[in-house]
Amino acid sequence: MYNLPDELNITKMFELFQQQHPAESLSYETYRMILNNKFNISFGYPRSDTCSLCDQINARLTCLDSKLQSGSGETAALERERALVLTEKEIHHRKAEVFYNRKKAAREKSSLDHSTLAIAFDYQKELPLPNKTTNDIFYRRQLSVHSLNIHELAGENVYIYVYNETVAKRRSDDVAYLLHHFFSNHVPAEVKHLELFSDGCAGQNKNWTIIRFLYARVHFWKRFETIKWSFPVRGHSYMECDRDLSMVNKRRQAETQQHWVEEFQAARKRPSPFNTIEMGQEDFFSHTEYLKPLFKQTCPVPTRPIREILFYSQNSMIFFYRNNWNAYKFPGQTPAKCCSNGKVDLQPLPALPSPLNELFGGEALNSKHFLENIRKYNAVFQLTSLGCKEANHRGCSPQFRIQGQLYHLIGSQHADGQNPSSFLLIYFLNDDDQVARRKSIFDSLLHPVLLDIQESLKEHHKYAKEIRCAYEFAASQDLQDFAIIIKESERPAGTHPGRYNKPDFKEDAVLMPNEPAGHRDIVLRLRDNGLRRISELHRAYDSLQYPLLMPFATDGWNLDLKMTSRYKITQNQFYCFHFFTRLGNYLLQARKLFQLYLVDAYAKIESERLQFFRREQNRLRADNYQNLKDTVVVRDSDPANVGQQVILPATYCGGPRYMFEKQQDVMAYVRKYGCPDMFITVTTNPNWKEISDHLLEGQHPHDRPDFLVRVFRLKLKQTMHALKNGCLGSVDAWLYNIEFQKRGLPHAHILLWMSRDSKIHPCMSDVAVSAEIPDKNQDPELFTIVTSHMVHRPCGALARHFFIETILASQRAKGSIAIATASTGLAATLLPGGRTVQSTFKVPLNIINSETPSCSIKKGTALSRVLQDASVLIVDEATLLHRKVIEAIDKTLKDIRSSSEVMGGLLTLLCGDFRQILAGY
């Protein structure tokens, strides 16, 4: 079988033949017949995609090009529209390429791995039969022959199931049974991984019946370990099945179904004839009725936007899918999370220009260095400064954390003369000085990478380019009283009367006299000693701060964005759309810069919510707080403060009323059911298959905090579903709390109140609790789980305790006083003569709120004399203590020991894992 390129049609081939053999007198029809009969090459059926959307896009581009050439219309507006159309075309082609690239990879994998089988299947064109009598009254009609083509991508084996329409239809039940027949009779037992490719016809293929059928193949019948099912975008669904049909002579006047079977068998000779299977009415089986008791009656997710479905034998409840923008989602997630069920229809970020595309994708020589230092590279190119207090862990900081408020600042066009240029001012230097200045900020950055990024932003970043052009224009005109203004909302081209006349300028940066501007506009004055805060509502808020993520200075969230309906898009909806895993979403490759962007976006969303509560105080007060008694009950006890502070409702997560409400819920459980019976902890495993399978090359789990929390949330949802449905017994009440570990991984603490019949009594402890490693031969799966996740390897803890005990023993052997303390009671019990820090130093309970922290120990007491005579103080797990506790101990020891030295001159060992320090401690 010969696979011809799409552009090589019969006409082109005949012209090439005539050029090569001018002496041969061969007609067009004879040439066509020879190709068909001798070489098994047939024409007349499409051998490539025919997409109406591509035709529409090409027509729009042709129209825009003609307008640009003729000079009709506003050139800047036409160029912007043409850029948008080109972006739309690129996105459409990329989505089409994903399906074909996935199919190509599956073909290569199945040819090398015999445990994997990749197939494409589809119903072929209906084949006619002549009119036949079908009943006793000689009612005549034309029958059709149905044929389902199943094409093995690696071996090129083709199986064609043939039956006429009196036997069965072309419905989902019929597809399910034909696949069942193929799996049972033609798929070797060694095949455990199946990859399917078909079009997205909802009535035949992409529907709840087939999804349930494939799910049952993995989880009920245990036939396959994984099934991966992919669908193309509309208009780009040409597959091997279509090529097979082009070999069949469909003009034959077949009298019976058997004639079409013979035609299929004779259509291909190499590499092997088509395998034709005739089906009878007794062969078909209704999978819909069989699967109905085992599943819900309707699909939990909309099937139309699905692009890929995966079934894992290790996970009985989750399968992934991609919607029409190729966003990875889970059925357990809210369907509206990524795009509000299609209401949020935003343009994705345009593709990165060179060389940023190569640096992000790992193709460039210095990609590894660039991605490891991406925050530094962004910092030297950002036009605004980031204002926040960073609260990362010392020694180990896989996550980016802040404490307090986050904001962006911008300065003037001229430096103060005392400090070197920074941020926006660097862009006003010449090219060589820009590179030198940026390298002086972080000497570890590479000169070639800085130069490449600088040239790319100089060409593409509209704000950096236009601000510099405006500055140079003002300098050339010797203007002294002017400001460069970036408007909050984009203006239509040609509407500003004072616009400077430069052919390549857009309406983004406007040169204006020093006059009042909009309260949200970004104003760059010639000289201004102060820094001004940028409004979070400005469209350039993100692109000025993250030039590497938005090299074209694409507009971010702004008040003009609307859904497909009349409602405006919220910041939460905007960032959810852009942060989901989508085709070409390079934001997810930005590692630590992506983490910074996540925190920044979250700060904007929270700021928007708080501003809403501030604006709606009157309505909140009227609905929820009727008198001063309510204020006193919720501990706003000073009547003078009523009406002067912002009230956060109980719906604000983490607010005082939210926490108070949750506390009341817990106490209600305890009051009715007593103490909880079970305490269960669920932690995140960064090596979960759902996480590891979707990391990009070179990424680590902490590079994708968005994916970590999504997978954990669904795993927790599964766990709670199992617990509530009696996997450990009948449950009367339950609750859980989600926290984040010191290294950024979420975990949950679950409390269960069991029913009377399911409570665990002391006599049942040995049955319910096992403190042994499971037998490897009897339960290998449980053995692997326990040894992998519940057995501590040798660690920064055993050696530390041995070291501490050695010091204590050596000092006490000499008759010296060695004080052993720890931050927790459990850690204190492990030390010889150990006590907690709080009890040893009489630390006040409210020390965190104290401006001058100190301990309640007075001079002359027995405890003070012990501290005066002590030779060493050991504080274990010191990283769990608040810094004010350490400050209070330092102040107390200085006072008792009458010494200004640190800790009053007492040798102090602060022990613990200093890579794990709580944020703000």
Side-chain angles (χ1 to χ4, degrees):
M1 181 178 61
Y2 297 88
N3 299 328
L4 300 179
D6 299 331
E7 65 272 13
L8 194 60
N9 54 36
I10 179 64
T11 305
K12 183 65 175 177
M13 292 180 65
F14 183 66
E15 291 174 355
L16 293 174
F17 177 82
Q18 288 181 324
Q19 294 175 9
Q20 295 292 329
H21 307 280
E24 296 289 341
S25 58
L26 195 66
S27 68
Y28 175 85
E29 290 298 327
T30 304
Y31 181 79
R32 181 188 183 97
M33 189 182 304
I34 292 174
L35 288 179
N36 190 15
N37 297 333
K38 299 294 184 181
F39 298 96
N40 195 27
I41 299 177
S42 177
F43 296 89
Y45 194 84
R47 290 174 294 108
S48 62
D49 292 321
T50 54
C51 179
S52 58
L53 180 58
C54 289
D55 295 338
Q56 294 174 10
I57 292 175
N58 291 331
R60 290 163 60 190
L61 286 174
T62 302
C63 180
L64 290 171
D65 289 339
S66 62
K67 288 183 179 180
L68 286 170
Q69 291 176 1
S70 63
S72 60
E74 178 64 35
T75 303
L78 290 174
E79 287 181 349
R80 279 199 295 267
E81 185 178 357
R82 188 177 187 277
L84 290 175
V85 175
L86 286 174
T87 302
E88 181 182 356
K89 181 179 180 180
E90 176 69 17
I91 293 169
H92 181 65
H93 284 175
R94 285 190 179 189
K95 291 196 288 187
E97 289 173 3
V98 166
F99 177 77
Y100 292 117
N101 292 336
R102 194 179 297 138
K103 187 151 63 74
K104 180 181 178 181
R107 178 187 292 111
E108 295 174 353
K109 182 179 180 181
S110 60
S111 63
L112 299 175
D113 183 6
H114 295 297
S115 66
T116 301
L117 176 65
I119 63 172
F121 68 93
D122 193 16
Y123 268 110
Q124 301 183 142
K125 182 180 179 181
E126 292 188 357
L127 302 173
L129 289 177
N131 291 341
K132 298 286 183 181
T133 57
T134 57
N135 54 30
D136 294 338
I137 62 173
F138 300 99
Y139 175 73
R140 301 177 66 84
R141 58 186 294 251
Q142 187 175 16
L143 299 177
S144 297
V145 172
H146 303 320
S147 57
L148 179 75
N149 183 307
I150 299 179
H151 188 113
E152 292 184 4
L153 298 182
E156 295 293 347
N157 292 325
V158 177
Y159 300 85
I160 300 179
Y161 287 87
V162 182
Y163 58 95
N164 64 62
E165 60 180 300
T166 63
V167 174
K169 304 298 183 183
R170 293 158 53 107
R171 297 172 300 188
S172 56
D173 262 332
D174 307 320
V175 177
Y177 182 78
L178 295 178
L179 289 175
H180 167 75
H181 187 279
F182 173 74
F183 296 156
S184 303
N185 297 278
H186 303 290
V187 177
E190 63 183 359
V191 174
K192 296 299 181 183
H193 308 283
L194 189 64
E195 298 203 27
L196 307 178
F197 299 88
S198 70
D199 63 23
C201 178
Q204 297 171 357
N205 304 331
K206 192 167 58 174
N207 55 63
W208 186 224
T209 297
I210 306 297
I211 293 175
R212 289 183 292 178
F213 164 73
L214 295 175
Y215 185 94
R217 279 282 167 178
V218 174
H219 295 289
F220 299 158
W221 301 326
K222 309 293 184 182
R223 175 60 182 87
F224 301 105
E225 294 180 3
T226 61
I227 295 181
K228 187 177 183 180
W229 192 10
S230 302
F231 307 95
V233 295
R234 188 175 182 180
H236 293 271
S237 58
Y238 184 81
M239 293 189 297
E240 288 73 9
C241 303
D242 302 303
R243 190 182 65 205
D244 295 337
L245 183 61
S246 68
M247 301 178 185
V248 180
N249 180 14
K250 294 174 288 299
R251 296 180 181 179
R252 174 174 177 174
Q253 298 297 321
E255 296 292 332
T256 64
Q257 176 179 309
Q258 183 60 33
H259 291 165
W260 282 122
V261 172
E262 295 172 356
E263 189 62 39
F264 280 125
Q265 292 173 343
R268 192 179 76 165
K269 302 299 182 184
R270 295 183 300 270
S272 62
F274 294 150
N275 299 287
T276 308
I277 303 103
E278 291 188 79
M279 304 297 291
Q281 195 168 21
E282 67 281 358
D283 295 326
F284 286 88
F285 171 78
S286 176
H287 280 84
T288 299
E289 295 299 324
Y290 174 76
L291 297 171
K292 186 179 293 184
L294 305 176
F295 295 90
K296 294 181 178 179
Q297 298 305 305
T298 58
C299 186
V301 295
T303 58
R304 182 179 180 87
I306 291 178
R307 288 289 170 262
E308 185 179 56
I309 306 176
L310 296 94
F311 306 90
Y312 292 118
S313 60
Q314 297 90 344
N315 196 317
S316 61
M317 296 188 67
I318 296 181
F319 61 87
F320 299 84
Y321 72 94
R322 298 181 177 191
N323 66 6
N324 59 335
W325 284 105
N326 287 336
Y328 269 116
K329 287 183 62 182
F330 305 89
Q333 284 186 289
T334 305
K337 190 63 176 177
C338 69
C339 60
S340 298
N341 279 332
K343 296 178 183 177
V344 178
D345 188 12
L346 299 171
Q347 287 291 337
L349 294 175
L352 288 170
S354 181
L356 284 175
N357 186 45
E358 291 77 13
L359 290 170
F360 271 83
E363 302 171 8
L365 180 63
N366 298 313
S367 290
K368 183 177 180 181
H369 164 81
F370 170 77
L371 292 173
E372 291 175 351
N373 298 274
I374 189 169
R375 275 186 60 194
K376 293 182 179 179
Y377 277 104
N378 186 79
V380 298
F381 283 100
Q382 61 192 24
L383 288 81
T384 57
S385 61
L386 181 70
C388 70
K389 180 180 179 182
E390 192 167 347
N392 283 336
H393 298 157
R394 302 173 187 173
C396 177
S397 55
Q399 307 288 337
F400 175 79
R401 303 181 180 211
I402 65 167
Q403 190 177 10
Q405 199 171 19
L406 185 148
Y407 45 87
H408 295 180
L409 301 173
I410 196 166
S412 62
Q413 304 171 37
H414 273 278
D416 55 10
Q418 300 178 356
N419 300 311
S421 299
S422 59
F423 302 110
L424 173 64
L425 298 180
I426 299 180
Y427 285 87
F428 297 144
L429 304 176
N430 61 53
D431 293 346
D432 293 337
D433 290 343
Q434 284 189 41
V435 177
R437 172 63 186 129
R438 289 182 171 115
K439 184 158 178 63
S440 68
I441 298 175
F442 296 110
D443 189 58
S444 60
L445 304 185
L446 300 180
H447 185 278
V449 177
L450 287 171
L451 186 60
D452 288 342
I453 298 175
Q454 179 175 298
E455 291 300 318
S456 180
L457 295 180
K458 181 180 178 181
E459 178 181 358
H460 299 106
H461 199 283
K462 62 182 180 182
Y463 294 127
K465 179 169 59 175
E466 294 188 18
I467 288 174
R468 178 165 180 171
C469 289
Y471 176 79
E472 292 175 350
F473 176 79
S476 66
Q477 301 297 318
D478 196 24
L479 300 178
Q480 297 297 324
D481 188 24
F482 73 95
I484 300 174
I485 297 179
I486 302 177
K487 290 290 185 181
E488 174 195 3
S489 300
E490 186 174 7
R491 286 179 171 272
T495 59
H496 195 279
R499 189 77 174 92
Y500 43 90
N501 187 20
K502 297 285 284 185
D504 58 344
F505 283 162
K506 313 290 188 300
E507 282 292 335
D508 292 310
V510 183
L511 190 65
M512 298 181 64
N514 271 332
E515 58 185 29
H519 68 286
R520 295 195 189 103
D521 293 344
I522 299 176
V523 182
L524 305 175
R525 304 195 184 278
L526 184 63
R527 287 181 176 83
D528 192 344
N529 294 329
L531 295 175
R532 287 175 303 283
R533 181 170 176 172
I534 299 177
S535 171
E536 292 89 349
L537 308 182
H538 199 285
R539 60 191 172 105
Y541 186 85
D542 292 340
S543 57
L544 293 175
Q545 181 67 27
Y546 304 100
L548 297 192
L549 299 182
M550 300 164 195
F552 294 97
T554 309
D555 286 348
W557 181 88
N558 56 81
L559 295 172
D560 296 331
L561 292 177
K562 292 186 178 181
M563 302 185 195
T564 53
S565 58
R566 62 187 178 87
Y567 298 104
K568 292 187 177 182
I569 295 176
T570 66
Q571 292 190 22
N572 188 29
Q573 292 171 326
F574 177 85
Y575 287 111
C576 281
F577 182 91
H578 284 293
F579 288 163
F580 263 81
T581 305
R582 303 175 187 272
L583 176 66
N585 189 358
Y586 56 82
L587 293 178
L588 309 179
Q589 301 172 258
R591 301 194 183 181
K592 285 196 173 183
L593 186 59
F594 177 56
Q595 298 175 15
L596 175 59
Y597 192 26
L598 281 174
V599 173
D600 202 346
Y602 176 77
K604 286 180 64 178
I605 295 170
E606 287 296 286
S607 176
E608 181 187 36
R609 292 189 65 201
L610 293 172
Q611 288 295 333
F612 171 79
F613 294 139
R614 182 186 296 274
R615 293 192 302 268
E616 301 295 331
Q617 282 295 287
N618 292 334
R619 184 158 62 91
L620 292 173
R621 285 287 182 88
D623 291 343
N624 300 301
Y625 306 101
Q626 300 296 330
N627 48 44
L628 292 179
K629 183 179 179 181
D630 291 332
T631 306
V632 175
V633 168
V634 293
R635 292 175 296 184
D636 296 334
S637 55
D638 187 357
N641 292 331
V642 177
Q644 298 180 5
Q645 57 184 340
V646 176
I647 301 277
L648 293 178
T651 56
Y652 182 75
C653 183
R657 286 164 183 80
Y658 173 88
M659 301 301 292
F660 183 76
E661 184 180 88
K662 298 302 179 185
Q663 180 193 20
Q664 294 302 308
D665 292 342
V666 175
M667 298 310 296
Y669 285 165
V670 175
R671 185 165 53 249
K672 182 171 183 178
Y673 299 107
C675 295
D677 298 293
M678 291 191 182
F679 177 81
I680 302 173
T681 301
V682 179
T683 60
T684 303
N685 179 7
N687 296 319
W688 275 332
K689 185 176 179 61
E690 293 85 352
I691 296 174
S692 59
D693 282 359
H694 295 88
L695 292 176
L696 301 176
E697 185 177 357
Q699 283 189 336
H700 301 284
H702 61 254
D703 292 324
R704 292 296 308 278
D706 60 317
F707 217 79
L708 284 174
V709 296
R710 286 167 57 196
V711 173
F712 170 77
R713 180 70 182 87
L714 291 174
K715 293 280 190 181
L716 177 61
K717 189 175 181 180
Q718 291 180 38
T719 302
M720 294 307 303
H721 177 80
L723 293 174
K724 288 185 289 184
N725 284 274
C727 73
L728 296 179
S730 178
V731 177
D732 285 339
W734 55 270
L735 64 88
Y736 64 84
N737 177 48
I738 299 177
E739 301 174 351
F740 279 80
Q741 299 171 1
K742 302 169 189 175
R743 301 191 184 185
L745 297 177
H747 67 279
H749 299 304
I750 305 171
L751 295 179
L752 299 179
W753 284 264
M754 310 301 293
S755 300
R756 183 182 299 274
D757 297 337
S758 301
K759 289 183 179 292
I760 300 177
H761 301 285
C763 61
M764 303 166 56
S765 299
D766 292 337
V767 178
V769 180
S770 174
E772 299 177 348
I773 296 179
D775 188 276
K776 185 176 182 180
N777 298 321
Q778 293 182 358
D779 199 338
E781 183 178 2
L782 184 60
F783 173 83
T784 303
I785 293 175
V786 171
T787 54
S788 299
H789 305 295
M790 303 184 68
V791 177
H792 290 276
R793 270 62 175 178
C795 57
L798 293 178
R800 185 175 76 242
H801 279 233
F802 178 78
F803 177 70
I804 292 174
E805 291 177 4
T806 303
I807 294 178
L808 293 174
S810 63
Q811 291 296 312
R812 290 169 179 171
K814 299 176 183 178
S816 303
I817 298 177
I819 303 175
T821 64
S823 59
T824 65
L826 179 61
T829 59
L830 300 178
L831 299 177
R835 296 178 63 190
T836 63
V837 171
Q838 289 78 5
S839 64
T840 301
F841 290 95
K842 312 298 182 186
V843 179
L845 295 178
N846 63 342
I847 192 170
I848 297 178
N849 300 323
S850 175
E851 294 295 331
T852 57
S854 61
C855 301
S856 302
I857 303 177
K858 298 180 179 179
K859 281 188 174 181
T861 62
L863 179 57
S864 67
R865 288 193 292 269
V866 170
L867 294 175
Q868 288 176 346
D869 299 335
S871 61
V872 63
L873 169 64
I874 294 178
V875 182
D876 196 16
E877 297 293 353
T879 55
L880 299 180
L881 291 172
H882 196 278
R883 60 180 176 84
K884 288 191 175 181
V885 176
I886 303 295
E887 293 174 1
I889 296 174
D890 176 55
K891 183 178 179 180
T892 300
L893 289 176
K894 287 179 178 178
D895 178 51
I896 291 175
R897 297 173 67 92
S898 302
S899 173
S900 61
E901 297 182 13
V902 177
M903 296 295 181
L906 176 61
L907 177 61
T908 305
L909 297 180
L910 301 180
C911 307
D913 188 351
F914 285 87
R915 297 173 301 173
Q916 302 184 22
I917 300 178
L918 295 178
Y921 274 48

